[in-house]
Amino acid sequence: MTWKKSLGLGTAAMLLAASITGCGVVSNGDQAASGGKTEGGTQAAKKDDGKIVIGMSMDTLKEERWQKDRDIFSAKVKELGAEVKVLAADGNDATQLSQAEQLISQGVDVLVVIPHNAEASAPIVDKAHKEGIKVISYDRLIKNSNVDYYLSFDNVRVGEMQAQAIVEKAPKGNYVYIGGADTDNNAHMFKQGAMNILKPLAEKGDIKIVYEQFSKDWKPEEALKNMENALTANNNNVQAVVAANDGTAGGAIQALTAQGMTGKIPVSGQDADLAAVQRIAEGTQTMTVYKPINAIATKAAEMAVALAKGETVNADKKVNNGKIDVPSILLDPIAVNKSNLADTVIKDGFHKVEDVFKNVPKDQWPKK
């Protein structure tokens, strides 16, 4: 939309209020009853009671993982005595910019942003800074901006974990790489990590990377098309698939299923979505990477409230975003396969054993 750069804060907020039902969701941080969506609501007036208010601008709430982030983050902010306002943009750059403007106009003390587009989100930082509001880039890095902090996991390590797990299952043969959204900096970091493992093996001649492609907006249907194209181009002569997350893994597995290859080809993933860990329990997906949502969401809430109080936040790493070295905190991811499901996602309470193994005979469930 051409208006996204020209609208003032007030105009953008009014337009958003008029169209909020169709282009995003508003929340005070509580989960609504309708399938994980947040509550609809009218634009709140600026705070006048002196209470800290934290804003969260989210790319989407369509994936299970992000609903968990929102709920844990919101609960922790409230536990720390602050209020929280959450907006989700349904994967639309212009909507995310408008929603961020709305949060800024409402006078949030700190803005936490999960960007849909690493580059297009940069103006959000500029607009926030003009109002004296600090910005935390959550999980995904906002590029080419003066963003104050970056909180994520070691995403290069995530890609390395994915590739290493698949290499252990298929040390020889033709490899397919199904990436995430080209607009997401994380997708490039995952690929970088995977190629750290795969390229030396390709140079030795042990494996051959016969297809590699990003999947628009992380959509499983895009991953499905990519995997279908990979299989067609190679006459189904594929021995391994490194997929960047569980959604793309699901799309790849759907394509493999159509060719009668399910469970015969190792496939990686990430996020430990319920559908993915069920596939791992069933034997159709090899692994996922669990990024403990409780850890990152809790840390983000603590950082945001501390910054709002004027306190110092210690960040022990720096990540360059194309403009500056951003003070960063990078948490450790965990590789999950069938052998450690019980000791990771189930033990953490991320998923219940009866949900993970519901399609598996009870005698194959982990022993308590």
Side-chain angles (χ1 to χ4, degrees), residues 152-159 161 270 289-292 330-336:
S152 188
F153 291 86
D154 186 338
N155 293 312
V156 173
R157 182 70 186 122
V158 169
M161 285 179 168
Q270 179 197 179
V289 178
Y290 173 44
K291 301 193 297 188
L330 303 179
L331 307 176
D332 293 326
I334 300 169
V336 175

Side-chain angles (χ1 to χ4, degrees), residues 67-193:
Q67 296 166 23
K68 290 178 181 288
D69 285 83
R70 174 206 56 195
D71 295 343
I72 296 167
F73 174 83
S74 299
K76 187 63 180 181
V77 168
K78 292 175 182 178
E79 179 187 318
L80 294 170
E83 296 179 0
V84 61
K85 297 181 183 294
V86 180
L87 291 169
D90 288 341
N92 185 289
D93 294 336
T95 299
Q96 186 161 31
L97 178 60
S98 293
Q99 290 179 339
E101 289 177 331
Q102 183 185 4
L103 291 168
I104 293 166
S105 72
Q106 291 176 357
V108 298
D109 295 285
V110 173
L111 186 60
V112 177
V113 180
I114 304 170
H116 170 253
N117 185 310
E119 301 279 355
S121 298
I124 293 174
V125 179
D126 294 336
K127 291 176 185 293
H129 283 178
K130 285 178 182 178
E131 300 299 324
I133 299 169
K134 291 188 181 297
V135 179
I136 299 171
S137 189
Y138 181 107
D139 193 63
R140 301 170 178 171
L141 183 61
I142 301 174
K143 299 202 73 177
N144 295 311
S145 69
N146 291 311
V147 66
D148 298 281
Y149 289 93
Y150 173 47
L151 172 63
S152 188
F153 291 86
D154 186 338
N155 293 312
V156 173
R157 182 70 186 122
V158 169
E160 291 173 343
M161 285 179 168
Q162 292 171 331
Q164 187 60 48
I166 300 308
V167 167
E168 288 172 5
K169 296 290 184 181
K172 306 278 186 181
N174 291 340
Y175 269 62
V176 170
Y177 185 82
I178 305 294
D182 190 27
T183 56
D184 182 350
N185 187 63
N186 279 10
H188 293 273
M189 296 174 79
F190 300 145
K191 185 175 181 181
Q192 177 188 336

Side-chain angles (χ1 to χ4, degrees), residues 351-366:
H351 294 302
K352 297 178 180 177
V353 64
E354 58 267 29
D355 294 331
V356 173
F357 287 89
K358 76 171 190 175
N359 300 321
V360 176
K362 270 211 167 183
D363 61 0
Q364 296 180 29
W365 288 25

Side-chain angles (χ1 to χ4, degrees), residues 174-176 208-211 227-238:
N174 291 340
Y175 269 62
V176 170
K208 184 177 181 181
I209 303 170
V210 297
Y211 186 93
M227 192 67 217
E228 289 173 337
N229 291 340
L231 291 171
T232 299
N234 293 280
N235 296 314
N236 287 359
N237 184 20
V238 169

Side-chain angles (χ1 to χ4, degrees), residues 253-290:
I253 290 168
Q254 186 177 344
L256 291 171
T257 300
Q259 299 300 316
M261 300 167 70
T262 313
K264 301 175 183 177
I265 307 297
V267 181
S268 70
Q270 179 197 179
D271 290 333
D273 286 347
L274 179 57
V277 294
Q278 287 173 340
R279 290 193 295 263
I280 291 171
E282 296 161 17
T284 60
Q285 182 170 324
T286 306
M287 64 86 71
T288 188
V289 178
Y290 173 44

